[in-house]
Amino acid sequence: MHEKKSYGEDQLKVIFTREQIEEKIKELGSRISKDYAGSELIMIGVLRGSTYFLVDLTRSMSIPFAIDFISISHYSEQADSAGVVRITKDLDLSITGKNVLVVEDIVDTGLSLGYLLRNLKTRNPAGLKVCTLLNVEARRIVEVPVDYKGFDIPNIFVVGYGLDYNERYRNLQFIAEFDRSRKST
Ligand code: IMP
Ligand code: MG
């Protein structure tokens, strides 16, 4: 049974509780700390959805690293340009010769991550890996490597813990299924 929680007028169906997310992040943090011990690591958050995850993930790590952010926007409204993505805020740090871990909120079609990885590769990092909180294998269009993942989910739309619907719900401490058909905006 999924618990219901209210948020304003909305009743949200909880998919992952705050405790489940915390537990998973601890596991990921210690795996990453072990795997990257002694190497020069840059954690890259993909704005804006991954911010909450990145903050908690990095606080669960026990090795030194640098943090940077990148922001991309999609042109997916136009059918013929699906997967065309543009960088709207680039990294401040150089990643050449560094070990890079890209931190995503969710890998869905894989189109944005695919683009991002191709772009980052041209900067010649020593290593380039991906950590995502959520993974939707059923929606994949482009094959992308997912080296660390929190949870696999089916083809549903989710909000909370950084994930939004029209910029709302990011601050929920849990992840909930969201029925977009009920909303007009
Ligand atoms: P992609 O389809 O893998 O390129 O995912 C693109 C982006 O869409 C993700 O990074 C999220 O920001 C967003 N997204 C995909 N699925 C969901 C969802 O279920 N809820 C909220 N945002 C989503
Ligand atoms: Mg995103």
Side-chain angles (χ1 to χ4, degrees):
M1 254 325 275
H2 291 290
E3 189 193 348
K4 300 267 185 191
K5 284 210 170 157
S6 12
Y7 183 80
E9 295 169 357
D10 300 316
Q11 284 293 310
L12 298 165
K13 187 167 100 183
V14 179
I15 303 292
F16 299 111
T17 63
R18 177 186 176 170
E19 292 74 23
Q20 286 173 311
I21 297 168
E22 276 172 4
E23 189 65 35
K24 188 60 78 175
I25 287 177
K26 263 191 225 152
E27 278 171 41
L28 289 171
S30 60
R31 267 181 61 203
I32 291 167
S33 300
K34 227 181 265 159
D35 295 352
Y36 285 96
S39 77
E40 267 206 87
L41 172 62
I42 303 188
M43 306 280 290
I44 296 181
V46 184
L47 295 172
R48 291 179 291 275
S50 76
T51 46
Y52 293 79
F53 178 42
L54 181 78
V55 165
D56 287 340
L57 179 65
T58 52
R59 285 193 297 194
S60 78
M61 290 167 55
S62 54
I63 55 165
F65 54 85
I67 285 184
D68 204 350
F69 293 94
I70 197 162
S71 185
I72 52 184
S73 85
H74 311 253
Y75 293 112
S76 47
E77 296 80 31
Q78 296 142 275
D80 60 347
S81 65
V84 179
V85 175
R86 159 177 80 96
I87 292 181
T88 53
K89 183 236 170 276
D90 206 345
L91 299 173
D92 292 317
L93 303 175
S94 164
I95 59 168
T96 306
K98 305 279 169 64
N99 282 296
V100 171
L101 185 58
V102 174
V103 179
E104 268 283 20
D105 51 355
I106 186 166
V107 182
D108 194 41
T109 63
L111 289 167
S112 30
L113 183 60
Y115 168 86
L116 190 60
L117 292 177
R118 279 199 305 280
N119 181 292
L120 295 178
K121 248 178 226 158
T122 65
R123 307 179 197 194
N124 299 315
L128 182 57
K129 290 195 172 181
V130 173
C131 176
T132 186
L133 180 62
L134 301 175
N135 183 46
V136 198
E137 205 64 50
R139 296 250 312 158
R140 204 69 103 243
I141 293 174
V142 173
E143 211 180 296
V144 283
V146 173
D147 304 282
Y148 303 91
K149 79 182 161 193
F151 303 101
D152 282 299
I153 60 166
N155 184 8
I156 54 173
F157 191 83
V158 291
V159 294
Y161 201 71
L163 291 138
D164 73 306
Y165 174 75
N166 286 349
E167 295 305 322
R168 286 187 64 202
Y169 307 101
R170 291 194 195 275
N171 60 319
L172 300 177
Q173 298 194 37
F174 52 90
I175 292 170
E177 181 170 4
F178 186 76
D179 183 2
R180 284 183 291 183
S181 63
R182 291 196 346 254
K183 294 277 167 177
S184 50
T185 52

mmCIF file of all heavy atoms in Angstrom, residues 96-139:
data_model
loop_
_atom_site.group_PDB
_atom_site.id
_atom_site.type_symbol
_atom_site.label_atom_id
_atom_site.label_comp_id
_atom_site.label_asym_id
_atom_site.label_seq_id
_atom_site.Cartn_x
_atom_site.Cartn_y
_atom_site.Cartn_z
ATOM 1 N N THR A 96 39.282 18.192 -17.599
ATOM 2 C CA THR A 96 40.336 17.479 -18.324
ATOM 3 C C THR A 96 41.251 16.749 -17.344
ATOM 4 O O THR A 96 41.760 17.351 -16.394
ATOM 5 C CB THR A 96 41.152 18.471 -19.184
ATOM 6 O OG1 THR A 96 40.241 19.183 -20.014
ATOM 7 C CG2 THR A 96 42.175 17.747 -20.051
ATOM 8 N N GLY A 97 41.406 15.458 -17.563
ATOM 9 C CA GLY A 97 42.275 14.649 -16.707
ATOM 10 C C GLY A 97 41.694 14.303 -15.342
ATOM 11 O O GLY A 97 42.348 13.671 -14.519
ATOM 12 N N LYS A 98 40.451 14.712 -15.096
ATOM 13 C CA LYS A 98 39.816 14.434 -13.797
ATOM 14 C C LYS A 98 38.805 13.290 -13.928
ATOM 15 O O LYS A 98 38.315 12.999 -15.014
ATOM 16 C CB LYS A 98 39.076 15.675 -13.285
ATOM 17 C CG LYS A 98 39.934 16.932 -13.201
ATOM 18 C CD LYS A 98 40.766 16.921 -11.942
ATOM 19 C CE LYS A 98 41.835 18.006 -11.936
ATOM 20 N NZ LYS A 98 41.310 19.364 -11.934
ATOM 21 N N ASN A 99 38.472 12.696 -12.790
ATOM 22 C CA ASN A 99 37.405 11.698 -12.775
ATOM 23 C C ASN A 99 36.079 12.395 -12.529
ATOM 24 O O ASN A 99 35.913 13.064 -11.514
ATOM 25 C CB ASN A 99 37.654 10.670 -11.682
ATOM 26 C CG ASN A 99 38.697 9.668 -12.115
ATOM 27 O OD1 ASN A 99 38.481 8.924 -13.077
ATOM 28 N ND2 ASN A 99 39.839 9.685 -11.458
ATOM 29 N N VAL A 100 35.163 12.222 -13.463
ATOM 30 C CA VAL A 100 33.899 12.936 -13.400
ATOM 31 C C VAL A 100 32.761 11.971 -13.087
ATOM 32 O O VAL A 100 32.664 10.898 -13.686
ATOM 33 C CB VAL A 100 33.621 13.657 -14.740
ATOM 34 C CG1 VAL A 100 32.212 14.232 -14.774
ATOM 35 C CG2 VAL A 100 34.653 14.752 -14.974
ATOM 36 N N LEU A 101 31.925 12.368 -12.136
ATOM 37 C CA LEU A 101 30.708 11.611 -11.860
ATOM 38 C C LEU A 101 29.523 12.555 -12.061
ATOM 39 O O LEU A 101 29.352 13.536 -11.329
ATOM 40 C CB LEU A 101 30.724 11.051 -10.429
ATOM 41 C CG LEU A 101 29.559 10.137 -10.064
ATOM 42 C CD1 LEU A 101 29.462 8.919 -10.999
ATOM 43 C CD2 LEU A 101 29.681 9.653 -8.612
ATOM 44 N N VAL A 102 28.735 12.264 -13.082
ATOM 45 C CA VAL A 102 27.554 13.077 -13.389
ATOM 46 C C VAL A 102 26.401 12.600 -12.512
ATOM 47 O O VAL A 102 26.113 11.404 -12.458
ATOM 48 C CB VAL A 102 27.168 12.947 -14.882
ATOM 49 C CG1 VAL A 102 25.863 13.678 -15.182
ATOM 50 C CG2 VAL A 102 28.286 13.465 -15.776
ATOM 51 N N VAL A 103 25.775 13.526 -11.797
ATOM 52 C CA VAL A 103 24.691 13.173 -10.879
ATOM 53 C C VAL A 103 23.364 13.658 -11.439
ATOM 54 O O VAL A 103 23.152 14.852 -11.645
ATOM 55 C CB VAL A 103 24.941 13.772 -9.477
ATOM 56 C CG1 VAL A 103 23.805 13.421 -8.530
ATOM 57 C CG2 VAL A 103 26.276 13.268 -8.924
ATOM 58 N N GLU A 104 22.474 12.702 -11.727
ATOM 59 C CA GLU A 104 21.168 12.994 -12.317
ATOM 60 C C GLU A 104 20.046 12.652 -11.352
ATOM 61 O O GLU A 104 20.191 11.764 -10.510
ATOM 62 C CB GLU A 104 20.985 12.156 -13.595
ATOM 63 C CG GLU A 104 21.427 12.840 -14.871
ATOM 64 C CD GLU A 104 20.445 13.890 -15.375
ATOM 65 O OE1 GLU A 104 19.606 14.378 -14.587
ATOM 66 O OE2 GLU A 104 20.524 14.233 -16.559
ATOM 67 N N ASP A 105 18.924 13.323 -11.495
ATOM 68 C CA ASP A 105 17.730 12.964 -10.736
ATOM 69 C C ASP A 105 17.078 11.710 -11.319
ATOM 70 O O ASP A 105 16.746 10.781 -10.612
ATOM 71 C CB ASP A 105 16.728 14.129 -10.693
ATOM 72 C CG ASP A 105 16.423 14.719 -12.067
ATOM 73 O OD1 ASP A 105 17.049 14.305 -13.075
ATOM 74 O OD2 ASP A 105 15.558 15.605 -12.144
ATOM 75 N N ILE A 106 16.931 11.707 -12.659
ATOM 76 C CA ILE A 106 16.235 10.597 -13.300
ATOM 77 C C ILE A 106 16.765 10.422 -14.717
ATOM 78 O O ILE A 106 17.035 11.401 -15.403
ATOM 79 C CB ILE A 106 14.697 10.860 -13.293
ATOM 80 C CG1 ILE A 106 13.899 9.676 -13.828
ATOM 81 C CG2 ILE A 106 14.331 12.131 -14.048
ATOM 82 C CD1 ILE A 106 12.392 9.752 -13.517
ATOM 83 N N VAL A 107 16.972 9.179 -15.111
ATOM 84 C CA VAL A 107 17.295 8.894 -16.507
ATOM 85 C C VAL A 107 16.073 8.217 -17.100
ATOM 86 O O VAL A 107 15.669 7.133 -16.680
ATOM 87 C CB VAL A 107 18.544 8.007 -16.660
ATOM 88 C CG1 VAL A 107 18.850 7.796 -18.138
ATOM 89 C CG2 VAL A 107 19.744 8.640 -15.968
ATOM 90 N N ASP A 108 15.499 8.909 -18.075
ATOM 91 C CA ASP A 108 14.216 8.519 -18.635
ATOM 92 C C ASP A 108 14.460 8.021 -20.061
ATOM 93 O O ASP A 108 14.851 6.874 -20.240
ATOM 94 C CB ASP A 108 13.336 9.774 -18.553
ATOM 95 C CG ASP A 108 11.875 9.500 -18.774
ATOM 96 O OD1 ASP A 108 11.381 8.490 -18.270
ATOM 97 O OD2 ASP A 108 11.214 10.309 -19.451
ATOM 98 N N THR A 109 14.319 8.877 -21.069
ATOM 99 C CA THR A 109 14.635 8.464 -22.445
ATOM 100 C C THR A 109 16.137 8.300 -22.621
ATOM 101 O O THR A 109 16.586 7.589 -23.516
ATOM 102 C CB THR A 109 14.149 9.509 -23.466
ATOM 103 O OG1 THR A 109 14.844 10.739 -23.230
ATOM 104 C CG2 THR A 109 12.649 9.731 -23.356
ATOM 105 N N GLY A 110 16.916 9.013 -21.802
ATOM 106 C CA GLY A 110 18.369 8.984 -21.947
ATOM 107 C C GLY A 110 18.885 10.034 -22.920
ATOM 108 O O GLY A 110 20.091 10.183 -23.105
ATOM 109 N N LEU A 111 17.961 10.764 -23.541
ATOM 110 C CA LEU A 111 18.372 11.732 -24.566
ATOM 111 C C LEU A 111 19.247 12.848 -23.995
ATOM 112 O O LEU A 111 20.279 13.185 -24.558
ATOM 113 C CB LEU A 111 17.132 12.332 -25.258
ATOM 114 C CG LEU A 111 16.384 11.364 -26.190
ATOM 115 C CD1 LEU A 111 15.013 11.921 -26.569
ATOM 116 C CD2 LEU A 111 17.198 11.079 -27.443
ATOM 117 N N SER A 112 18.826 13.416 -22.854
ATOM 118 C CA SER A 112 19.622 14.528 -22.323
ATOM 119 C C SER A 112 20.964 14.042 -21.782
ATOM 120 O O SER A 112 21.988 14.673 -22.015
ATOM 121 C CB SER A 112 18.857 15.332 -21.254
ATOM 122 O OG SER A 112 17.956 14.550 -20.560
ATOM 123 N N LEU A 113 20.957 12.924 -21.104
ATOM 124 C CA LEU A 113 22.212 12.391 -20.575
ATOM 125 C C LEU A 113 23.153 11.990 -21.717
ATOM 126 O O LEU A 113 24.350 12.234 -21.659
ATOM 127 C CB LEU A 113 21.932 11.192 -19.666
ATOM 128 C CG LEU A 113 23.145 10.586 -18.988
ATOM 129 C CD1 LEU A 113 23.844 11.600 -18.093
ATOM 130 C CD2 LEU A 113 22.746 9.360 -18.176
ATOM 131 N N GLY A 114 22.595 11.401 -22.764
ATOM 132 C CA GLY A 114 23.392 11.014 -23.922
ATOM 133 C C GLY A 114 24.111 12.212 -24.520
ATOM 134 O O GLY A 114 25.311 12.169 -24.807
ATOM 135 N N TYR A 115 23.381 13.289 -24.668
ATOM 136 C CA TYR A 115 23.965 14.520 -25.203
ATOM 137 C C TYR A 115 25.053 15.042 -24.271
ATOM 138 O O TYR A 115 26.151 15.398 -24.698
ATOM 139 C CB TYR A 115 22.873 15.585 -25.375
ATOM 140 C CG TYR A 115 23.448 16.956 -25.651
ATOM 141 C CD1 TYR A 115 23.760 17.347 -26.955
ATOM 142 C CD2 TYR A 115 23.724 17.833 -24.599
ATOM 143 C CE1 TYR A 115 24.323 18.591 -27.195
ATOM 144 C CE2 TYR A 115 24.294 19.074 -24.843
ATOM 145 C CZ TYR A 115 24.586 19.444 -26.142
ATOM 146 O OH TYR A 115 25.146 20.666 -26.368
ATOM 147 N N LEU A 116 24.721 15.074 -22.997
ATOM 148 C CA LEU A 116 25.646 15.608 -22.002
ATOM 149 C C LEU A 116 26.957 14.814 -21.979
ATOM 150 O O LEU A 116 28.049 15.392 -21.959
ATOM 151 C CB LEU A 116 24.967 15.566 -20.635
ATOM 152 C CG LEU A 116 25.661 16.275 -19.508
ATOM 153 C CD1 LEU A 116 25.815 17.756 -19.834
ATOM 154 C CD2 LEU A 116 24.850 16.118 -18.219
ATOM 155 N N LEU A 117 26.841 13.497 -22.015
ATOM 156 C CA LEU A 117 28.038 12.657 -21.963
ATOM 157 C C LEU A 117 28.911 12.861 -23.202
ATOM 158 O O LEU A 117 30.132 12.932 -23.102
ATOM 159 C CB LEU A 117 27.659 11.177 -21.813
ATOM 160 C CG LEU A 117 27.011 10.786 -20.473
ATOM 161 C CD1 LEU A 117 26.607 9.313 -20.486
ATOM 162 C CD2 LEU A 117 27.937 11.071 -19.293
ATOM 163 N N ARG A 118 28.256 12.965 -24.364
ATOM 164 C CA ARG A 118 29.028 13.220 -25.598
ATOM 165 C C ARG A 118 29.796 14.529 -25.476
ATOM 166 O O ARG A 118 30.951 14.635 -25.835
ATOM 167 C CB ARG A 118 28.095 13.279 -26.820
ATOM 168 C CG ARG A 118 27.698 11.926 -27.352
ATOM 169 C CD ARG A 118 27.175 12.008 -28.791
ATOM 170 N NE ARG A 118 26.068 12.947 -28.957
ATOM 171 C CZ ARG A 118 24.799 12.683 -28.637
ATOM 172 N NH1 ARG A 118 24.481 11.505 -28.131
ATOM 173 N NH2 ARG A 118 23.855 13.578 -28.830
ATOM 174 N N ASN A 119 29.113 15.533 -24.953
ATOM 175 C CA ASN A 119 29.745 16.846 -24.793
ATOM 176 C C ASN A 119 30.911 16.795 -23.807
ATOM 177 O O ASN A 119 31.996 17.293 -24.080
ATOM 178 C CB ASN A 119 28.684 17.860 -24.353
ATOM 179 C CG ASN A 119 29.267 19.245 -24.183
ATOM 180 O OD1 ASN A 119 30.068 19.475 -23.276
ATOM 181 N ND2 ASN A 119 28.895 20.159 -25.063
ATOM 182 N N LEU A 120 30.693 16.158 -22.656
ATOM 183 C CA LEU A 120 31.734 16.122 -21.621
ATOM 184 C C LEU A 120 32.951 15.312 -22.081
ATOM 185 O O LEU A 120 34.079 15.620 -21.727
ATOM 186 C CB LEU A 120 31.169 15.570 -20.310
ATOM 187 C CG LEU A 120 30.084 16.428 -19.634
ATOM 188 C CD1 LEU A 120 29.565 15.739 -18.370
ATOM 189 C CD2 LEU A 120 30.595 17.832 -19.303
ATOM 190 N N LYS A 121 32.699 14.270 -22.863
ATOM 191 C CA LYS A 121 33.794 13.420 -23.360
ATOM 192 C C LYS A 121 34.811 14.211 -24.177
ATOM 193 O O LYS A 121 36.008 13.926 -24.139
ATOM 194 C CB LYS A 121 33.225 12.285 -24.236
ATOM 195 C CG LYS A 121 33.382 10.915 -23.596
ATOM 196 C CD LYS A 121 32.767 9.827 -24.451
ATOM 197 C CE LYS A 121 31.932 8.904 -23.567
ATOM 198 N NZ LYS A 121 30.921 8.155 -24.341
ATOM 199 N N THR A 122 34.326 15.203 -24.923
ATOM 200 C CA THR A 122 35.233 15.988 -25.772
ATOM 201 C C THR A 122 36.231 16.786 -24.932
ATOM 202 O O THR A 122 37.214 17.291 -25.449
ATOM 203 C CB THR A 122 34.463 16.985 -26.671
ATOM 204 O OG1 THR A 122 33.816 17.964 -25.831
ATOM 205 C CG2 THR A 122 33.420 16.275 -27.525
ATOM 206 N N ARG A 123 35.964 16.909 -23.631
ATOM 207 C CA ARG A 123 36.877 17.656 -22.763
ATOM 208 C C ARG A 123 37.953 16.746 -22.136
ATOM 209 O O ARG A 123 38.701 17.174 -21.261
ATOM 210 C CB ARG A 123 36.081 18.355 -21.657
ATOM 211 C CG ARG A 123 34.938 19.193 -22.220
ATOM 212 C CD ARG A 123 34.137 19.867 -21.145
ATOM 213 N NE ARG A 123 32.853 20.321 -21.676
ATOM 214 C CZ ARG A 123 32.053 21.178 -21.058
ATOM 215 N NH1 ARG A 123 32.404 21.677 -19.886
ATOM 216 N NH2 ARG A 123 30.909 21.533 -21.607
ATOM 217 N N ASN A 124 37.949 15.493 -22.567
ATOM 218 C CA ASN A 124 38.950 14.505 -22.128
ATOM 219 C C ASN A 124 39.107 14.326 -20.622
ATOM 220 O O ASN A 124 40.208 14.501 -20.079
ATOM 221 C CB ASN A 124 40.315 14.822 -22.760
ATOM 222 C CG ASN A 124 40.251 14.751 -24.262
ATOM 223 O OD1 ASN A 124 39.673 13.815 -24.815
ATOM 224 N ND2 ASN A 124 40.792 15.756 -24.930
ATOM 225 N N PRO A 125 38.035 13.965 -19.943
ATOM 226 C CA PRO A 125 38.183 13.610 -18.528
ATOM 227 C C PRO A 125 38.912 12.267 -18.429
ATOM 228 O O PRO A 125 38.897 11.482 -19.377
ATOM 229 C CB PRO A 125 36.732 13.473 -18.049
ATOM 230 C CG PRO A 125 35.954 13.130 -19.273
ATOM 231 C CD PRO A 125 36.653 13.796 -20.431
ATOM 232 N N ALA A 126 39.527 11.992 -17.280
ATOM 233 C CA ALA A 126 40.197 10.699 -17.085
ATOM 234 C C ALA A 126 39.153 9.592 -17.018
ATOM 235 O O ALA A 126 39.385 8.466 -17.469
ATOM 236 C CB ALA A 126 41.021 10.735 -15.806
ATOM 237 N N GLY A 127 37.998 9.899 -16.421
ATOM 238 C CA GLY A 127 36.909 8.934 -16.333
ATOM 239 C C GLY A 127 35.595 9.684 -16.322
ATOM 240 O O GLY A 127 35.537 10.828 -15.876
ATOM 241 N N LEU A 128 34.546 9.034 -16.832
ATOM 242 C CA LEU A 128 33.234 9.700 -16.898
ATOM 243 C C LEU A 128 32.167 8.670 -16.559
ATOM 244 O O LEU A 128 31.963 7.719 -17.305
ATOM 245 C CB LEU A 128 33.034 10.254 -18.314
ATOM 246 C CG LEU A 128 31.761 11.035 -18.630
ATOM 247 C CD1 LEU A 128 31.598 12.232 -17.709
ATOM 248 C CD2 LEU A 128 31.780 11.484 -20.092
ATOM 249 N N LYS A 129 31.550 8.842 -15.383
ATOM 250 C CA LYS A 129 30.519 7.897 -14.961
ATOM 251 C C LYS A 129 29.261 8.635 -14.547
ATOM 252 O O LYS A 129 29.263 9.861 -14.388
ATOM 253 C CB LYS A 129 31.036 7.017 -13.822
ATOM 254 C CG LYS A 129 32.087 6.040 -14.313
ATOM 255 C CD LYS A 129 32.359 4.939 -13.313
ATOM 256 C CE LYS A 129 33.280 3.897 -13.956
ATOM 257 N NZ LYS A 129 33.573 2.805 -13.058
ATOM 258 N N VAL A 130 28.189 7.852 -14.339
ATOM 259 C CA VAL A 130 26.877 8.433 -14.081
ATOM 260 C C VAL A 130 26.277 7.840 -12.819
ATOM 261 O O VAL A 130 26.319 6.626 -12.608
ATOM 262 C CB VAL A 130 25.932 8.144 -15.271
ATOM 263 C CG1 VAL A 130 24.510 8.589 -14.956
ATOM 264 C CG2 VAL A 130 26.439 8.808 -16.541
ATOM 265 N N CYS A 131 25.710 8.709 -12.000
ATOM 266 C CA CYS A 131 24.940 8.275 -10.836
ATOM 267 C C CYS A 131 23.564 8.914 -10.925
ATOM 268 O O CYS A 131 23.443 10.127 -11.026
ATOM 269 C CB CYS A 131 25.643 8.744 -9.554
ATOM 270 S SG CYS A 131 24.715 8.367 -8.059
ATOM 271 N N THR A 132 22.522 8.101 -10.925
ATOM 272 C CA THR A 132 21.171 8.650 -10.970
ATOM 273 C C THR A 132 20.339 8.102 -9.812
ATOM 274 O O THR A 132 20.508 6.941 -9.421
ATOM 275 C CB THR A 132 20.477 8.351 -12.319
ATOM 276 O OG1 THR A 132 19.212 9.034 -12.349
ATOM 277 C CG2 THR A 132 20.223 6.868 -12.546
ATOM 278 N N LEU A 133 19.483 8.944 -9.286
ATOM 279 C CA LEU A 133 18.615 8.481 -8.206
ATOM 280 C C LEU A 133 17.553 7.529 -8.756
ATOM 281 O O LEU A 133 17.298 6.481 -8.186
ATOM 282 C CB LEU A 133 17.946 9.680 -7.515
ATOM 283 C CG LEU A 133 17.010 9.325 -6.376
ATOM 284 C CD1 LEU A 133 17.746 8.625 -5.243
ATOM 285 C CD2 LEU A 133 16.303 10.568 -5.853
ATOM 286 N N LEU A 134 16.958 7.907 -9.900
ATOM 287 C CA LEU A 134 15.892 7.084 -10.473
ATOM 288 C C LEU A 134 16.239 6.681 -11.904
ATOM 289 O O LEU A 134 16.875 7.440 -12.641
ATOM 290 C CB LEU A 134 14.570 7.861 -10.486
ATOM 291 C CG LEU A 134 14.054 8.353 -9.137
ATOM 292 C CD1 LEU A 134 12.797 9.209 -9.332
ATOM 293 C CD2 LEU A 134 13.746 7.184 -8.204
ATOM 294 N N ASN A 135 15.781 5.503 -12.281
ATOM 295 C CA ASN A 135 16.055 4.981 -13.613
ATOM 296 C C ASN A 135 14.762 4.402 -14.187
ATOM 297 O O ASN A 135 14.100 3.601 -13.533
ATOM 298 C CB ASN A 135 17.129 3.894 -13.511
ATOM 299 C CG ASN A 135 17.529 3.349 -14.854
ATOM 300 O OD1 ASN A 135 17.764 4.105 -15.795
ATOM 301 N ND2 ASN A 135 17.599 2.027 -14.957
ATOM 302 N N VAL A 136 14.401 4.850 -15.400
ATOM 303 C CA VAL A 136 13.189 4.341 -16.056
ATOM 304 C C VAL A 136 13.602 3.616 -17.334
ATOM 305 O O VAL A 136 13.608 4.188 -18.421
ATOM 306 C CB VAL A 136 12.199 5.479 -16.430
ATOM 307 C CG1 VAL A 136 10.800 4.911 -16.684
ATOM 308 C CG2 VAL A 136 12.146 6.554 -15.367
ATOM 309 N N GLU A 137 13.957 2.352 -17.158
ATOM 310 C CA GLU A 137 14.464 1.555 -18.278
ATOM 311 C C GLU A 137 13.426 1.469 -19.412
ATOM 312 O O GLU A 137 13.788 1.511 -20.592
ATOM 313 C CB GLU A 137 14.805 0.153 -17.752
ATOM 314 C CG GLU A 137 15.848 -0.595 -18.542
ATOM 315 C CD GLU A 137 17.229 0.051 -18.530
ATOM 316 O OE1 GLU A 137 17.722 0.386 -17.441
ATOM 317 O OE2 GLU A 137 17.804 0.210 -19.623
ATOM 318 N N ALA A 138 12.151 1.384 -19.044
ATOM 319 C CA ALA A 138 11.080 1.192 -20.024
ATOM 320 C C ALA A 138 10.952 2.355 -21.007
ATOM 321 O O ALA A 138 10.345 2.195 -22.069
ATOM 322 C CB ALA A 138 9.745 0.985 -19.300
ATOM 323 N N ARG A 139 11.498 3.507 -20.671
ATOM 324 C CA ARG A 139 11.337 4.682 -21.530
ATOM 325 C C ARG A 139 12.583 4.970 -22.377
ATOM 326 O O ARG A 139 12.612 5.932 -23.143
ATOM 327 C CB ARG A 139 11.060 5.908 -20.654
ATOM 328 C CG ARG A 139 9.757 5.817 -19.893
ATOM 329 C CD ARG A 139 8.742 6.762 -20.408
ATOM 330 N NE ARG A 139 9.281 8.113 -20.569
ATOM 331 C CZ ARG A 139 8.765 9.031 -21.370
ATOM 332 N NH1 ARG A 139 7.701 8.751 -22.089
ATOM 333 N NH2 ARG A 139 9.302 10.226 -21.446
#
